[in-house]
Amino acid sequence: MRYLPLSDADRREMLARIGVQSIDDLFADIPKDKLLKDLVDLPRRKGELEVERILSRMASRNVPASSVPFFVGAGAYKHHVPATVDHLIQRSEFLTSYTPYQPEIAQGTLQYLFEFQTQVAALTGMEVANASMYDGSTGTGEAVLMAHRVTKRRKAVLSGGLHPHYADVVKTLSHMASDEVVALAPDVSGTEDILSRIDDSVSCVVVQSPDVFGNLRDLKPIAEKARRHGALLIAVFTEAVSLGLLESPGSQGADIVVGEGQSIGNALNFGGPYVGLFAAKSKYIRQMPGRLCGETVDADGKRGFVLTLSTREQHIRRDKATSNICTNSGLCTLAFTIHMTLLGEAGLTRLARINHANAVKLADMLAGVKGVEVLNRTFFNEFTVRLSKPAAEVVERLAEKGVLGGVPVSRLMPGAGLDDLLLVASTEVNTDDDRAALAAALKEVL
Amino acid sequence: MLNRQGRPSSAGEAGTNEHPTFTGNKALAQIEPLIFEIGRADTTGVDLDEPEAFTPRLGGLERKDAIGLPGLSEPETMRHYVRLSQMNYGIDTGLFPLGSCTMKHNPRLNERMARLPGFADVHPLQPVSTVKGALELMNELARYLVTLTNMTTVALSPKAGAHGELCGMMAIKAAIEARGEGKTRNVVLVPDSAHGTNPATAALIGFVVKPVPARDDGWVHVEDVKKLLGPDVAAIMLTNPNTCGLFENQVAEIAKAIHDAGAYFYCDGANFNAIVGKARPGDLGVDAMHINLHKTFSTPHGGGGPGSGPVVLSARLAPYAPVPFVTLKDGELTLVEHEADAAEKPFGRMTAFHGQMGMYVRALSYMLSHGADGMRQASEDAVLNANYVRASLSDLFSQPFGDKPCMHEVLFDDTWLKDTGVTTLDFAKAMIDEGYHPMTMYFPLVVHGAMLIEPTESESKASLDLFIATLRDLAMAAKTGNDKARFTGAPFHAPRRRLDETRAARNPVLKWTPPAPVAEAAE
């Protein structure tokens, strides 16, 4: 076995040094009748070539986003990732390191976490950011729990524009923790009356912008009313690139900002691994979940970085911890921070404009297709269209024609009576040919 | 000087003279500023054309102020992050004996497979008809996990070990609610020696945590568990092999007592790598166990994630697995994404999409490479290596629970350091100067000055011999007390000397802020 360096002679010598006869003497605490005599019913070891063949064959049964005109979004977005990003994250010292518990020999990880925290705070317009969560959806669940801790109230109000998967994660956690959730009905137009749901019993109101239907939401009046009632505004985004063009949630008065960072530096990966961004006002740092990296000095007075404020965390506070999280998405965080460094402010704002421009172009083109109605007045790189046929059926027909045309709303919200709605996303990867292919395919199908 | 075979090297001794340099750099050891100190808002390392003129549809919500993000050109970016990487220790750098963290070799084949466009470049919401291979892979991974554990089903979606714990405990809570005992069964037993995530997880979803006391032999005793059992107990969270490096030798009796009391047995699977192919949790009475794919099946830790924490479930809990999951329908694999579409009783959704596909590919690549025979061999070698370290150090290092065989990790304590003036932390920092990542320190909490060493199966005998010789040399130096500065001042040769963690916590600086202008600063 190429991953196992011991030879049989080594093993014999080592057993002799230990002073036992056979390897099973070291497994003597396992009850005799529970110790497996034979191998489990799985295939024997395989060489590298054969493993490559098996997995490549499985991979070939999937249609990669890059191979077709691609307009699928709804919380995960196809963007171009520069080659430099993947090269750098594969450096051994990043890829094969652990959580930086020994800061003297983990300054590489700690410095990029500090850079990441600064970038995320700037991007979201907030005072502090943590060193990342698993993803946007679980980060949203953590944000709601944090709001309960801060306000000592246990009722969350979820906007009908919140991604339904995110809402489901919050509902699951809240049900288990016996907390209350008020989830507003799906809000296709972004005009729901969320203000009337905010009162003195509410811990937080969770609003996504751009929302799941693509509408941009003005958070300022919501933040204002929440503040008056002692509730927190949790602002959510699923498309980090949008922050390059839009007013930051922080400048609109959000108390906690949480979102998905996959768009910057990370591949689609069929849904994971992704990276959750989490930022807040600095007065809440001791209630924040997740890791924090802080600046300090070493014994020689040199600047250095350490994990800090760990008294919030599970390994010290145990059942009193702010969260049970014991890891972050370190490598995805690194990919984010490298891509963001390559972009810089100039690159990010340009990338965001290109995304929006492409989406505008697409919306105008689709509006000219018979049987398609564009519903959004505002959007960033994704919008909702009403079709003259059920969207799930249309998407299947488009796929047969080699176009991945979007996400049927019924896939996210079955039973909501929105079967004719389709979410269409467009990013910098879409060309004029892609748009023409989608429009032409829709004409044929509808 | 010893070489990697543990023999004297013919190379000359390295000089230790301090030669100051103009830049402060020392050849390959280079100081690297923050991107905020070298980047500029108008610099970018990507080539993007401005879009043609268009009318925005942003409803007046466009950003008016600057963001404050510096950019670097591509060569500058490359150099910045390469230099940062050189300040990190990784498993490819050397032995990484972090107990319970399982820092084993990360095969690069796994990385290559995970980057196949058919896995990396597919969207979680594209039509199911276009992701048949992804479903096949998830189904195959599930088959491997279920077979290795002899359990009924597996929930793949949890994003990390602690998220898997949450999933397992939520399944238990859902099962108890379905029995109509949601109000009355609200206590979870957690041994003192457990990972901190266990009590945190139980408390997070409203359980009352009751500790199971630690005994001085390192095992959890069935009598102690029985004393705590009653109609209010929902579950026990037991780590097996445990964090003291021991297999719980009464696990079958504990499982029976738990089940007899109407409760469930959650097993923290962080240490599953010690017994893969040797014993199956399903045979031991486990109802739910998370599996850290990154630990047991070698997906890289990446400086703190991403992890992946699938949860295997017994027949009693199988109906309560969360959505989404892969299922066989009319001879074809398909996805069940909503509770209403499930025949069973899922407790809800834990994460936006289907879980950590990238980690699934890496784990399955590892499993296929090892096969049933290789995985069993890996467990045996992991246990052999840990015991070899134990046997080779037992005359110098003290063991809190006596000198007895351990599983894949060996636990020492600081009794042997008493009166030397050297602390566990000092000893760990001195290891850094010798080129090793320190072992896990101060965990498990029930042991004073714990030092938990897990060499893993990927270390050769020669590598272990040099490691053992180094620890013996350090131990002798600590005991003779002749060179205390070697410990109290350590590390001397790392990119940084010891860092002031108190200062970081007392006055948290969590992001870079621009320095005040010179004139202002002078006032």
Side-chain angles (χ1 to χ4, degrees):
Chain A
M1 197 333 122
R2 62 191 186 282
Y3 303 150
L4 303 176
L6 297 184
S7 68
D8 282 340
D10 289 335
R11 292 183 182 113
R12 279 195 298 275
E13 219 177 299
M14 292 165 76
L15 286 171
R17 165 88 70 94
I18 296 164
V20 293
Q21 297 291 317
S22 80
I23 188 72
D24 278 346
D25 293 343
L26 298 175
F27 289 86
D29 289 329
I30 300 181
K32 277 272 174 305
D33 59 326
K34 310 292 185 203
L35 192 69
L36 294 178
K37 304 285 181 295
D38 299 310
L39 293 177
V40 291
D41 183 23
L42 291 171
R44 300 287 183 109
R45 68 186 74 180
K46 291 181 171 60
E48 187 155 330
L49 176 63
E50 202 176 340
V51 176
E52 283 180 3
R53 280 184 183 142
I54 294 168
L55 289 171
S56 300
R57 190 197 51 74
M58 284 187 202
S60 71
R61 298 185 64 210
N62 299 327
V63 178
S66 299
S67 67
V68 290
F70 189 84
F71 302 92
V72 187
Y77 297 90
K78 170 68 188 169
H79 290 286
H80 176 255
V81 179
T84 302
V85 174
D86 198 44
H87 173 83
L88 284 170
I89 69 165
Q90 288 203 68
R91 279 190 65 90
S92 277
E93 307 91 327
F94 286 136
L95 185 74
T96 76
S97 61
Y98 195 63
T99 307
Y101 290 143
Q102 298 290 338
E104 295 86 359
I105 46 172
Q107 284 299 303
T109 297
L110 287 158
Q111 183 166 333
Y112 83 62
L113 291 181
F114 188 79
E115 293 176 342
F116 171 84
Q117 288 174 184
T118 309
Q119 286 174 328
V120 173
L123 192 65
T124 54
M126 299 302 283
E127 290 164 339
V128 286
N130 75 8
S132 84
M133 314 293 287
Y134 307 140
D135 69 1
S137 67
T138 57
T140 303
E142 293 282 350
V144 168
L145 294 178
M146 177 173 153
H148 294 343
R149 288 194 295 276
V150 168
T151 63
K152 312 252 190 316
R153 302 175 188 171
R154 302 176 72 169
K155 178 166 134 187
V157 175
L158 311 184
S159 156
L162 180 63
H163 194 294
H165 288 178
Y166 286 42
D168 286 349
V169 172
V170 173
K171 285 179 201 163
T172 303
L173 256 181
S174 299
H175 167 75
M176 289 290 174
S178 305
D179 292 346
E180 196 183 339
V181 174
V182 177
L184 274 59
D187 176 30
V188 180
S189 58
T191 55
E192 66 190 354
D193 178 18
I194 201 162
L195 293 179
S196 71
R197 312 308 283 260
I198 303 172
D199 58 35
D200 290 349
S201 71
V202 169
S203 71
C204 59
V205 47
V206 185
V207 185
Q208 181 178 324
S209 180
D211 70 15
V212 69
F213 298 101
N215 305 298
L216 308 188
R217 306 289 282 263
D218 186 355
L219 302 177
K220 292 181 284 287
I222 306 170
E224 171 58 23
K225 177 134 195 214
R227 194 185 56 73
R228 282 209 309 275
H229 288 276
L232 304 189
L233 169 60
I234 299 173
V236 178
F237 57 88
T238 61
E239 171 51 291
V241 175
S242 69
L243 297 177
L245 194 56
L246 296 171
E247 237 182 302
S248 71
S251 70
Q252 297 187 65
D255 297 284
I256 303 173
V257 180
V258 54
E260 178 53 64
Q262 172 268 330
S263 282
I264 313 271
N266 285 280
L268 287 169
N269 286 324
F270 198 50
Y274 288 174
V275 52
L277 313 184
F278 196 109
K281 290 180 175 166
S282 57
K283 62 182 170 187
Y284 301 133
I285 50 175
R286 281 166 213 278
Q287 294 299 335
M288 275 172 81
R291 295 245 157 75
L292 293 170
C293 170
E295 184 185 311
T296 187
V297 293
D298 78 351
D300 291 337
K302 285 186 191 158
R303 176 172 69 187
F305 303 94
V306 292
L307 293 181
T308 193
L309 298 178
S310 59
T311 47
R312 306 161 299 116
E313 292 188 67
Q314 37 71 29
H315 58 279
I316 294 177
R317 291 265 286 169
R318 297 173 78 83
D319 54 339
K320 303 277 188 297
T322 56
S323 162
N324 76 331
I325 287 181
C326 156
T327 184
N328 64 342
S329 295
L331 205 67
C332 304
T333 303
L334 177 62
F336 180 100
T337 204
I338 295 170
H339 192 186
M340 191 59 94
T341 300
L342 280 167
L343 287 165
E345 181 138 356
L348 179 70
T349 49
R350 194 174 300 172
L351 178 66
R353 270 206 300 281
I354 294 169
N355 269 256
H356 186 47
N358 279 0
V360 167
K361 239 190 267 187
L362 181 67
D364 288 347
M365 183 182 272
L366 295 186
V369 176
K370 192 162 167 281
V372 178
E373 181 194 353
V374 176
L375 299 184
N376 296 55
R377 285 180 50 245
T378 61
F379 57 89
F380 172 63
N381 68 357
E382 185 165 22
F383 52 86
T384 307
V385 295
R386 175 169 286 132
L387 302 175
S388 54
K389 286 182 181 166
E393 202 178 287
V394 172
V395 162
E396 282 299 332
R397 297 281 308 281
L398 294 177
E400 286 162 19
K401 295 178 181 302
V403 176
L404 296 184
V407 179
V409 170
S410 61
R411 180 157 180 192
L412 295 173
M413 310 169 198
L418 303 172
D419 293 357
D420 54 352
L421 300 189
L422 180 70
L423 303 179
V424 186
S426 169
T427 71
E428 76 283 359
V429 304
N430 295 124
T431 62
D432 284 338
D433 287 348
D434 290 344
R435 283 184 282 275
L438 175 60
L442 275 171
K443 273 178 197 159
E444 284 180 49
V445 170
L446 290 174
Chain B
M1 185 188 281
L2 299 175
N3 66 19
R4 288 183 59 194
Q5 270 68 47
R7 292 191 287 271
S9 168
S10 55
E13 294 283 320
T16 53
N17 289 346
E18 190 71 28
H19 293 287
T21 56
F22 171 72
T23 53
N25 295 334
K26 288 178 183 169
L28 295 180
Q30 307 203 0
I31 298 163
E32 186 58 20
L34 293 161
I35 49 173
F36 310 97
E37 295 160 336
I38 49 179
R40 290 169 31 163
D42 60 352
T43 301
T44 180
V46 296
D47 288 325
L48 292 168
D49 292 329
E50 277 293 334
E52 293 159 30
F54 70 102
T55 310
R57 287 183 211 165
L58 302 172
L61 289 170
E62 54 266 61
R63 193 182 269 280
K64 286 146 199 107
D65 48 346
I67 308 173
L69 289 170
L72 295 177
S73 66
E74 185 173 304
E76 290 170 309
T77 301
M78 187 66 87
R79 202 170 272 167
H80 176 70
Y81 289 101
V82 166
R83 286 180 178 174
L84 288 193
S85 77
Q86 290 171 331
M87 292 193 273
N88 259 10
Y89 194 98
I91 183 63
D92 291 353
T93 312
L95 205 160
F96 213 128
L98 266 183
S100 269
C101 297
T102 312
M103 297 298 288
K104 61 168 76 172
H105 172 57
N106 300 137
R108 290 312 192 275
L109 172 61
N110 305 354
E111 295 301 308
R112 184 191 279 178
M113 295 301 95
R115 283 171 172 78
L116 290 171
F119 295 132
D121 194 30
V122 288
H123 191 287
L125 294 173
Q126 66 186 65
V128 171
S129 59
T130 65
V131 291
K132 290 292 183 192
L135 303 191
E136 183 187 354
L137 183 128
M138 289 166 74
N139 195 54
E140 189 68 355
L141 177 70
R143 181 171 77 91
Y144 270 69
L145 292 174
V146 162
T147 307
L148 289 172
T149 55
N150 196 26
M151 301 286 274
T152 303
T153 192
V154 55
L156 289 179
S157 69
K159 300 236 132 193
H163 204 222
E165 283 177 35
L166 193 58
C167 174
M169 293 307 290
M170 283 180 172
I172 287 171
K173 189 153 184 171
I176 287 171
E177 282 176 358
R179 279 159 47 178
E181 294 182 279
K183 295 267 187 291
T184 50
R185 281 197 188 266
N186 60 352
V187 169
V188 170
L189 308 181
V190 184
D192 286 334
S193 57
H195 297 110
T197 50
N198 291 172
T201 298
L204 189 67
I205 55 173
F207 285 117
V208 176
V209 176
K210 264 196 197 163
V212 182
R215 289 249 196 149
D216 53 12
D217 59 10
W219 277 301
V220 174
H221 287 245
V222 67
E223 299 83 52
D224 294 338
V225 173
K226 277 183 177 164
K227 268 182 229 155
L228 296 166
L229 284 175
D232 58 340
V233 174
I236 189 171
M237 296 182 85
L238 190 70
T239 307
N240 194 26
N242 68 25
T243 59
C244 302
L246 304 174
F247 189 90
E248 293 290 354
N249 59 354
Q250 296 184 13
V251 60
E253 292 91 327
I254 292 170
K256 183 169 185 310
I258 289 288
H259 290 154
D260 287 350
Y264 294 93
F265 178 6
Y266 185 85
C267 182
D268 181 313
N271 298 329
F272 183 50
N273 61 309
I275 58 168
V276 176
K278 299 293 288 182
R280 299 179 300 186
D283 298 340
L284 303 170
V286 170
D287 290 303
M289 182 179 94
H290 75 268
I291 297 169
N292 305 78
L293 290 185
H294 46 293
K295 294 182 187 185
T296 301
F297 301 110
S298 87
T299 71
H301 286 72
S308 181
V311 175
V312 287
L313 299 168
S314 67
R316 307 196 309 153
L317 291 180
Y320 305 99
V323 291
F325 54 84
V326 176
T327 191
L328 199 63
K329 195 181 163 194
D330 307 330
E332 288 262 357
L333 291 175
T334 190
L335 270 173
V336 174
E337 296 180 278
H338 301 281
E339 290 179 67
D341 301 333
E344 308 276 21
K345 290 165 270 185
F347 66 73
R349 176 182 278 277
M350 295 202 69
T351 182
F353 301 116
H354 321 306
Q356 307 285 66
M357 182 67 175
M359 302 295 115
Y360 304 159
V361 182
R362 289 171 176 87
L364 187 63
S365 170
Y366 173 93
M367 291 168 159
L368 291 169
S369 298
H370 275 81
D373 49 334
M375 285 190 274
R376 181 185 171 97
Q377 186 70 59
S379 298
E380 290 184 351
D381 286 358
V383 172
L384 181 62
N385 279 357
N387 279 285
Y388 185 64
V389 170
R390 177 184 58 81
S392 304
L393 294 175
S394 58
D395 58 327
L396 285 176
F397 286 59
S398 45
Q399 296 174 71
F401 307 118
D403 189 22
K404 57 189 178 193
C406 58
M407 297 306 285
H408 62 300
E409 53 193 353
V410 51
L411 179 62
F412 297 110
D413 65 15
D414 66 353
T415 311
W416 67 280
L417 279 172
K418 201 163 172 277
D419 303 327
T420 61
V422 173
T423 65
T424 307
L425 185 71
D426 293 335
F427 190 85
K429 299 300 182 192
M431 283 173 69
I432 292 176
D433 280 337
E434 299 294 339
Y436 289 107
H437 193 283
M439 69 284 268
T440 293
M441 285 181 297
Y442 305 119
F443 182 79
L445 303 176
V446 291
V447 173
H448 194 269
M451 303 183 203
L452 189 60
I453 296 179
E454 180 178 8
T456 81
E457 72 277 10
S458 40
E459 295 305 324
S460 67
K461 180 169 176 298
S463 154
L464 293 179
D465 284 336
L466 183 56
F467 178 64
I468 289 161
T470 307
L471 289 191
R472 293 189 69 85
D473 182 74
L474 282 174
M476 292 309 292
K479 287 192 174 189
T480 56
N482 292 337
D483 189 6
K484 274 186 73 174
R486 181 176 176 186
F487 297 96
T488 51
F492 293 95
H493 304 296
R496 286 292 177 278
R497 300 286 304 284
R498 236 178 267 195
L499 288 141
D500 188 345
E501 302 196 20
T502 310
R503 171 180 161 141
R506 197 162 287 163
N507 177 28
V509 179
L510 304 178
K511 68 173 184 183
W512 181 84
T513 43
V518 177
E520 202 177 297
E523 283 173 23

